[in-house]
Amino acid sequence: MRSEERTFVAVKPDGVQRELVGEIIKRFETKGYKITALKMLQVSDEQARAHYAEHEGRPFYNRLIKYIQSGPIVAMVVEGYNAVAGVRHLMGSTDPDKAEVGTIRADFAQVMEYNVVHGSDSVESAEREIKIYFDESEIYDKRKCMSELVTEYLDA
Ligand code: UDP
Ligand code: MG
């Protein structure tokens, strides 16, 4: 069943360093998803370990923790129908070599370790990950502001 969902997305440090932030955000916006929170931040050790807790003990874990803290990330909350799976569809497989051409990872990354973007893998992961990076007060869903202003202006 399709439902309105929110998901946690991040342009990882390699994507920020390579100035792909706009390109990546554009794909989510042109798909029709809403960005309801957005910020650039330096990931702390605590945030990195909380985010990737499920991977602790895996051979790539230490490298992953170092990677995600190697420079600022751009963190987002993205909303829309089926947004969790939909964002992962746009991102492509973890390994850019296996990702379909046209997806973010196929188009912008070369190796699995440094794959430019993160997206939550379930609604539950999304809620957990959003809490690591955002306070609920930083998430906005007010899209009528401009039309209200225009109406007010035209009616004046
Ligand atoms: N990763 C890695 N080597 C691996 C698997 C994963 O370096 O063999 C890194 C990669 O950056 C990936 C992240 O760890 O995006 C999280 O892995 P996960 O399996 O959750 O992939 P994702 O959900 O990001 O597609
Ligand atoms: Mg994952």
Side-chain angles (χ1 to χ4, degrees):
M1 207 185 73
R2 292 159 72 90
S3 59
E4 185 77 22
E5 293 170 354
R6 58 184 196 173
T7 186
F8 175 72
V9 176
V11 180
K12 291 173 169 181
D14 49 342
V16 175
Q17 188 184 320
R18 291 175 53 212
E19 305 188 24
L20 294 171
V21 173
E23 286 287 341
I24 291 172
I25 289 178
K26 187 176 181 186
R27 293 187 178 215
F28 301 124
E29 287 192 325
T30 53
K31 176 79 176 176
Y33 296 139
K34 283 199 293 187
I35 293 167
T36 52
L38 178 74
K39 67 179 160 192
M40 182 180 277
L41 72 133
Q42 174 63 48
V43 176
S44 69
D45 206 45
E46 197 185 349
Q47 284 172 316
R49 288 175 193 286
H51 182 163
Y52 286 120
E54 64 174 316
H55 295 305
E56 199 180 341
R58 307 277 290 276
F60 59 87
Y61 176 74
N62 288 340
R63 217 170 35 238
L64 176 58
I65 296 298
K66 200 168 166 186
Y67 164 42
I68 203 68
Q69 296 186 82
S70 63
I73 66 164
V74 170
M76 283 167 262
V77 177
V78 174
E79 287 191 21
Y81 283 103
N82 242 16
V84 170
V87 160
R88 285 183 68 92
H89 195 204
L90 291 178
M91 280 169 32
S93 300
T94 310
D95 183 350
D97 273 344
K98 301 202 173 78
E100 283 201 54
V101 171
T103 61
I104 295 167
R105 284 165 166 173
D107 292 356
F108 301 133
Q110 295 183 23
V111 293
M112 174 141 74
E113 282 72 12
Y114 309 114
N115 55 9
V116 305
V117 71
H118 168 83
S120 310
D121 64 6
S122 67
V123 170
E124 295 70 37
S125 302
E127 289 308 310
R128 191 184 72 79
E129 291 168 5
I130 287 168
K131 280 197 186 70
I132 296 170
Y133 294 100
F134 290 99
D135 189 82
E136 216 38 60
S137 67
E138 295 175 295
I139 304 171
Y140 295 90
D141 198 15
K142 295 206 165 46
R143 290 298 159 124
K144 289 192 200 131
C145 49
M146 214 40 229
S147 57
E148 276 166 15
L149 278 184
V150 171
T151 309
E152 250 179 60
Y153 171 71
L154 292 176
D155 287 349

